[in-house]
Amino acid sequence: MPRSMAMRMISPGNINSINNADAMKVVPLLLSLCLIPGSVLFAQSEKNWSDNARWKEAKYGPWGGPGVDPAPGPMDKLLLKDYAPRSSVVSGMTVLPKAKFPAIDVHTHVVAETPGEVAEWVKTMDEVGIKTSVVLTDATGADFDSLADLYLKPYPDRFILFCGMDKTDIDKPDYSARIVAELVRCYKKGARGVGEWTDKGLGYTTDSTITADKRLHPDDFRLDPFWEKCAELKIPVNIHVSDHPSNWTPLDVYQERTPDYQHFNRYGKDGLSYEELLEVRNRMLKKHPKTTFIACHLANEGNDLERLSKLLETYPNLYLDISARDYEIGRTPRAALKFFSKYPGRVLFGTDMGREKSMYQAWWRLLESEDEFMVGRIWWRYYGLALPSAVLKAMYNGNANRILNWKKL
Ligand SMILES: [Zn+2]
């Protein structure tokens, strides 16, 4: 199958179109587990899926079927959420304790809360080759100030802090002036960016009781002075708008990601759709060309790198971080290598997965080695990208050195 066709097949629009009423009905049966004291009951599907052409296509692709005669057995009682196959593949495992070049992790959160934990984190950073971690605090006021004391006072050279945006009283006339004043105050306290500014459909809030007309989406006029002030202060904004496209597809037999991710699902729920969110984000990017935006998680478009290329070409003020999208680049290593090589100046390294040593080292293996069929998250297997040194260097530190604000307090 030509690559362009394969890319189209996994585009979000088409994922939505494979919603199937039969699937919706039978999934609760397939996946449900009833716990009754002393015994476990498993419900089973009564539907014969092998008669369903759409299901066969999704499950077997051009092979058309399993190639054997399936028969009932103990695996019929397994739950999807428990499935963890062990691979029999015997191939090399490259151990990379440290990044090839000093790395700047542009996407972390407050994963150390005491001076002792911060010191532990710095020790791990030294061991794995992280020069600086950008902590996306999303905090304002006294919360931000205490984080600045915790991180910047003892380690001014190892951490960069991003602040947040006040979410209260957004319909008061002084809202824009208030958030700008707080941004300037946080900047003076050491904030060198904003984020992670998140809108997964309900606006810049996690409060689902706020009605649609009161939600703040990124292109809202009330935010214009804030984004402009970021440009003036030369501080970037890390944005998380929309989410993985599978979040807007049903939790049925066609769901792409494992049940680990089902609580993020927004299919059929209130709020903007995947495509609408990308539109409000793009309007903001267009309105504020002087502001530097870093769209985290490959802008939630890492499933379609051709589309993502067009996005980068349309908005020169946009950069990407690769955090938490190991599974996108790991499952399409050749396309990802081409993409990173084509846009070496636009992609930054980020993790967003805590501060364990093994997590950092898994990233080095994915980005630097040629290892195959690596165990990854979800149930996708990853393939090493073996990025060339120049691309790796730009991703690890070159771009961050250039676009972050490194001004000391
Ligand atoms: Zn994050």
Side-chain angles (χ1 to χ4, degrees), residues 107 109 136 196 297 352:
H107 196 131
H109 293 281
L136 308 178
E196 173 179 358
H297 315 322
D352 197 22

Side-chain angles (χ1 to χ4, degrees), residues 52-113:
N52 185 312
R54 180 172 279 174
W55 179 84
K56 274 170 80 174
E57 193 196 339
K59 191 169 165 81
Y60 301 114
W63 301 100
V68 296
D69 292 328
M75 286 190 76
D76 297 343
K77 295 180 179 177
L78 297 180
L79 292 174
L80 212 49
K81 71 182 180 67
D82 297 332
Y83 186 55
R86 280 202 185 115
S87 168
S88 60
V89 168
V90 180
S91 65
M93 177 173 171
T94 309
V95 178
L96 296 169
K98 243 180 161 163
K100 192 170 178 182
F101 304 105
I104 298 164
D105 180 351
V106 302
H107 196 131
T108 72
H109 293 281
V110 181
V111 292
E113 293 179 3

Side-chain angles (χ1 to χ4, degrees), residues 80-369:
L80 212 49
K81 71 182 180 67
D82 297 332
Y83 186 55
R86 280 202 185 115
S87 168
S88 60
V89 168
V90 180
S91 65
M93 177 173 171
T94 309
V95 178
L96 296 169
K98 243 180 161 163
K100 192 170 178 182
F101 304 105
I104 298 164
D105 180 351
V106 302
H107 196 131
T108 72
H109 293 281
V110 181
V111 292
E113 293 179 3
T114 63
E117 287 176 3
V118 175
E120 252 173 46
W121 190 2
V122 171
K123 189 169 164 273
T124 305
M125 285 161 58
D126 289 338
E127 286 165 354
V128 301
I130 298 276
K131 183 171 144 280
T132 312
S133 291
V134 176
V135 184
L136 308 178
T137 71
D138 199 28
T140 53
D143 290 345
F144 179 80
D145 297 354
S146 63
L147 290 170
D149 286 346
L150 181 65
Y151 286 94
L152 300 179
K153 276 199 180 148
Y155 299 104
D157 298 323
R158 305 305 298 276
F159 292 101
I160 285 193
L161 259 55
F162 281 23
C163 64
M165 179 195 277
D166 185 13
K167 297 175 187 179
T168 56
D169 296 326
I170 62 168
D171 43 6
K172 296 265 167 67
D174 72 335
Y175 181 65
S176 299
R178 197 152 35 86
I179 55 176
V180 167
E182 178 57 15
L183 176 67
V184 172
R185 198 198 67 81
C186 287
Y187 179 82
K188 286 179 184 158
K189 286 276 180 180
R192 293 295 176 262
V194 173
E196 173 179 358
W197 196 96
T198 304
D199 180 357
K200 296 183 180 180
L202 298 175
Y204 182 54
T205 180
T206 45
D207 184 354
S208 57
T209 62
I210 295 177
T211 53
D213 57 314
K214 297 238 170 93
R215 288 175 194 155
L216 272 177
H217 294 294
D219 63 336
D220 194 293
F221 73 94
R222 290 169 288 187
L223 302 182
D224 288 345
F226 185 90
W227 302 139
E228 289 301 310
K229 184 54 89 176
C230 290
E232 202 186 304
L233 295 171
K234 296 191 169 53
I235 55 174
V237 184
N238 190 301
I239 47 161
H240 180 149
V241 182
S242 196
D243 215 345
H244 194 267
S246 62
N247 279 6
W248 281 269
T249 64
L251 292 169
D252 62 13
V253 295
Y254 299 116
Q255 175 55 231
E256 187 179 28
R257 296 196 296 178
T258 51
D260 292 347
Y261 297 81
Q262 61 185 336
H263 59 294
F264 296 122
N265 195 274
R266 299 215 53 82
Y267 180 77
K269 291 187 181 164
D270 182 28
L272 300 190
S273 68
Y274 179 79
E275 292 295 336
E276 286 167 336
L277 283 160
L278 299 188
E279 279 166 27
V280 292
R281 179 201 64 195
N282 293 350
R283 276 203 290 274
M284 172 197 71
L285 292 172
K286 194 175 174 196
K287 251 203 284 183
H288 303 287
K290 288 187 183 146
T291 309
T292 297
F293 291 95
I294 303 169
C296 62
H297 315 322
L298 289 169
N300 292 306
E301 295 182 68
N303 62 306
D304 188 343
L305 295 174
E306 286 182 16
R307 185 180 187 184
L308 193 52
S309 300
K310 287 188 194 113
L311 183 76
L312 286 183
E313 279 162 24
T314 310
Y315 303 104
N317 53 332
L318 180 69
Y319 295 81
L320 307 172
D321 88 35
I322 62 170
S323 69
R325 288 302 179 270
D326 44 304
Y327 52 77
E328 294 290 25
I329 61 177
R331 64 172 169 164
T332 55
R334 293 184 189 88
L337 168 63
K338 273 187 210 153
F339 179 82
F340 294 146
S341 304
K342 194 172 173 195
Y343 302 102
R346 306 291 289 280
V347 188
L348 295 97
F349 173 72
T351 58
D352 197 22
M353 280 188 275
R355 57 179 173 89
E356 285 297 315
K357 203 200 267 193
S358 57
M359 179 277 297
Y360 293 110
Q361 290 169 343
W363 276 106
W364 312 149
R365 190 180 175 213
L366 174 63
L367 297 168
E368 299 178 26
S369 87

